[in-house]
Amino acid sequence: MNDNSFDMDNPVLRAALARGLVSRRSAMMGAAGVSAAAFLAACGSAGKNPTTGGASGSAAPAKTAAAAQDMSDTEKLVNWSNWTEYIDVDDKTKSRPTLDAFTKATGIKVNYTEDYLDNDEFYAKVRPLLQQGKDTGRDVWCSTDWMVARLIRQGYVQKLDLANIPNAKNLDASLKNVEFDPGRTYSLPWQSGFAGIGYNLKATGGKKIESITQLLTDPSLKGKVTLLTEMRDTVGLVMMDQGKDITKFTDADFQAAIDMIQQAKDAGQIKGFTGNEYTDGLAKGDIAACVAWTGDVVQLQFDDPKIQYALPQKGFTLWSDNFVIPAMAKHKKNAEKLIDYYYDPKVMAQVAAYVNYIAPVAGTKEELVKIDKSLADNPLIVPTQDVLARAQVFRGLSEAEETKYSRMYASITAG
């Protein structure tokens, strides 16, 4: 593995991919042996996940979410919305083994829908119903940290009944007191990961794309580059490319990043802005290079080793997605039983062995060793110290900042 890209000739990595490791989004960090989850939490307390001094974080009291009559005892059902390719799948039958095992053990059927492509897009779908105090048709979904902060603040998610989630005790201790949800009253992490650069060597003419400057200015990529609609990942990567620390950037720093993106768009460099539907275009070669969640690219590599990804030397973003139960969910207890099930290290290890993200459940690494030691040793599951040292978490935003920065980014992504 070189400084920027994962080496697809690495036998450990190839073996892991052959087992079906995929997609987006515990490890050990550094000589002190701090877990990756601890690293996430430490960064989160100052960065992307919480908000500082503003209404998006713990400084502002959350509204109380409305609750519907819980039908869990009479309707053995739970409706779960999640990101695409974010759970274990049997490659032969296309079934989801851990979900099937949950249903067999509990009698609860899971309607699992991969309709979460982008935080803001998903929020736009459910917000009208939440505002009206209506059921969204979903009992649980997985939102990124900063979106969880918003949902808590607006009273759109319910407090968890930990009596129904005894395995919550397995949450890594370092993740229990994140600023946006102290004590994990409303949320529990699902997976964590990085955002970097994905590229198709066939579409780039064999050229490696290893920096954001290269992505946004290389004339050979003109019209074949996409960026994420996720403002924090895209703008965060650009700011780091410009030498800024995204845990403590200023308005001027943000504006400079916006200007760089606008210049690239005006020059015709950018094809568009996407959620994780970019995978199809990248696989076909319609997209030569893009800002990508690196786990997504790993799945594509299994089918086509010409598809590569890079974690920029100047830095890349770090995120977590979290279980939340929306207001007016009709099967709250069933959703909590589902969360509890995945907080069993043996179950989480089965997911981690397939999706290849950083798991929040203590004991997962030990269970991965039992499945295949190469998985626990894999650099995609256990990031190296060098990788973790370059990762940053987008700093917390006040409500006013979130509105301002989102509008600035939307002015570019629209049209």
Side-chain angles (χ1 to χ4, degrees):
M1 182 168 63
N2 62 26
D3 288 342
N4 297 81
S5 302
F6 286 107
D7 181 6
M8 288 305 297
D9 292 325
N10 182 315
V12 174
L13 178 55
R14 291 301 299 170
L17 289 173
R19 297 183 64 90
L21 298 181
V22 298
S23 91
R24 191 186 172 268
R25 338 141 204 81
S26 271
M28 301 302 291
M29 171 193 167
V34 180
S35 70
F39 176 74
L40 292 172
C43 289
S45 65
K48 170 184 172 185
N49 307 353
T51 55
T52 54
S56 297
S58 58
K63 297 177 182 178
T64 301
Q69 179 182 357
D70 195 341
M71 305 298 291
S72 293
D73 291 337
T74 56
E75 295 182 0
K76 296 299 183 181
L77 176 70
V78 62
N79 300 300
W80 179 9
S81 282
N82 206 357
W83 300 78
T84 59
E85 299 170 340
Y86 212 19
I87 199 169
D88 54 305
V89 175
D90 184 308
D91 291 331
K92 292 182 179 179
T93 66
K94 304 306 178 183
S95 63
R96 301 181 176 100
T98 57
L99 283 181
D100 291 345
F102 171 75
T103 297
K104 184 176 180 180
T106 64
I108 299 171
K109 178 184 177 182
V110 183
N111 287 329
Y112 185 82
T113 308
E114 295 181 329
D115 61 346
Y116 204 126
L117 299 176
D118 170 273
N119 280 290
D120 283 318
E121 178 189 61
F122 187 82
Y123 178 73
K125 289 192 293 188
V126 298
R127 182 181 182 182
L129 294 167
L130 293 167
Q131 282 182 317
Q132 297 172 48
K134 295 181 179 179
D135 175 28
T136 63
R138 301 166 176 87
D139 300 304
V140 64
W141 63 63
C142 296
S143 288
T144 307
D145 308 292
W146 61 269
M147 180 57 73
V148 175
R150 181 192 296 179
L151 294 169
I152 292 172
R153 183 182 75 241
Q154 295 178 333
Y156 289 161
V157 290
Q158 301 185 56
K159 288 186 177 181
L160 301 174
D161 184 350
L162 295 182
N164 295 324
I165 317 174
N167 281 332
K169 67 180 185 296
N170 296 326
L171 173 64
D172 189 288
S174 63
L175 289 172
K176 291 181 180 178
N177 285 297
V178 290
E179 187 177 346
F180 70 91
D181 186 13
R184 289 291 181 178
T185 303
Y186 294 90
S187 66
L188 282 168
W190 167 242
Q191 304 288 323
S192 303
F194 304 121
I197 299 171
Y199 58 97
N200 187 326
L201 286 171
K202 290 180 290 188
T204 65
K207 183 184 298 185
K208 294 182 178 181
I209 311 300
E210 299 180 317
S211 74
I212 296 299
T213 291
Q214 185 182 10
L215 183 73
L216 295 182
T217 63
D218 189 326
S220 70
L221 302 177
K222 186 174 182 179
K224 297 184 289 185
V225 170
T226 63
L227 305 181
L228 291 173
T229 52
E230 289 279 354
M231 176 264 288
R232 287 161 177 80
D233 284 330
T234 298
V235 179
L237 282 164
V238 174
M239 283 196 287
M240 282 185 281
D241 185 78
Q242 295 176 329
K244 306 302 181 182
D245 183 343
I246 65 172
T247 69
K248 51 184 179 183
F249 66 86
T250 65
D251 280 356
D253 296 334
F254 190 92
Q255 183 64 61
I258 290 292
D259 290 344
M260 184 175 183
I261 297 169
Q262 185 67 63
Q263 289 170 8
K265 182 180 180 181
D266 292 345
Q269 187 80 356
I270 299 173
K271 178 182 178 70
F273 298 80
T274 74
N276 60 338
E277 67 269 21
Y278 61 80
T279 55
D280 184 59
L282 187 61
K284 292 177 179 177
D286 296 335
I287 297 171
C290 58
V291 172
W293 291 300
T294 48
D296 280 341
V297 180
V298 174
Q299 181 190 20
L300 298 178
Q301 288 176 324
F302 180 61
D303 294 324
D304 185 355
K306 291 292 186 180
I307 296 175
Q308 298 284 307
Y309 70 86
L311 295 174
Q313 193 63 40
K314 288 188 175 181
F316 45 90
T317 59
L318 188 62
W319 46 261
S320 293
D321 293 325
N322 308 268
F323 285 115
V324 291
I325 297 176
M328 303 306 292
K330 292 183 177 180
H331 309 97
K332 182 174 185 287
K333 185 163 67 173
N334 288 347
E336 290 163 342
K337 288 181 178 179
L338 178 76
I339 297 169
D340 181 68
Y341 168 76
Y342 280 102
Y343 264 67
D344 180 333
K346 292 182 180 179
V347 177
M348 183 57 75
Q350 294 176 60
V351 176
Y354 194 89
V355 305
N356 197 24
Y357 284 108
I358 300 169
V361 177
T364 300
K365 180 182 178 182
E366 290 75 12
E367 293 298 330
L368 275 173
V369 170
K370 297 175 185 178
I371 295 173
D372 187 332
K373 187 176 183 297
S374 68
L375 298 179
D377 292 339
N378 192 284
L380 298 178
I381 296 176
V382 184
T384 65
Q385 185 177 10
D386 171 66
V387 169
L388 291 174
R390 302 202 314 275
Q392 291 186 25
V393 183
F394 199 97
R395 76 163 172 83
L397 302 180
S398 69
E399 188 172 7
E401 285 179 320
E402 183 177 353
T403 298
K404 175 174 63 177
Y405 292 154
S406 294
R407 285 176 177 171
M408 291 169 68
Y409 191 54
S411 68
I412 296 179
T413 61

